[in-house]
Amino acid sequence: MMTFKYDYSYLRGWIKQKFGNNRKYANFLGIGCTALYDRLAGKTPFRQNEIDATAQYGNLAAEDVMRFFFTKQIRKTV
C-alpha cells in the first residue's frame, strides 16, 4: 500500500492570515497545539470534522479544501 505525504504550506499560510498563529487555530478546532503540529507534520491525518470546520469558517470552495488538505508533497530526487 502506498501512502502519500501532504504539503500543508497553503493551509499554514491561511492559518497565519486568518488566526495569526497555530495556537488560535488549534483552539478553534478543539485540539491541542501538539495535535495540530502532528497533523501539519503528517504524523496524524486531519479529521473530517476539522476539515469541515475549516471550510465553513473560511467559506472555502472545494478547490481550496483540496489545495489546503490534499496537495501531495513532491518527492525531490537528486
Side-chain angles (χ1 to χ4, degrees):
M1 181 174 146
M2 185 178 228
T3 58
F4 295 101
K5 287 223 172 213
Y6 293 103
D7 176 0
Y8 294 114
S9 57
Y10 291 108
L11 177 60
R12 288 175 187 273
W14 183 84
I15 291 168
K16 188 170 186 166
Q17 179 185 29
K18 296 290 183 181
F19 289 90
N21 61 51
N22 287 344
R23 181 181 48 77
K24 290 179 184 174
Y25 180 60
N27 287 340
F28 166 74
L29 293 178
I31 61 176
C33 287
T34 302
L36 177 59
Y37 285 114
D38 286 348
R39 285 161 174 70
L40 292 171
K43 294 178 183 177
T44 306
F46 279 91
R47 295 186 175 140
Q48 186 65 52
N49 65 320
E50 296 162 351
I51 295 171
D52 291 345
T54 301
Q56 187 172 16
Y57 177 86
N59 197 27
L60 302 177
E63 297 82 25
D64 294 324
V65 172
M66 291 301 292
R67 186 180 316 114
F68 285 9
F69 293 98
F70 301 104
T71 298
K72 292 179 182 149
Q73 261 184 0
I74 305 298
R75 211 169 78 187
K76 296 176 183 167
T77 56
V78 190

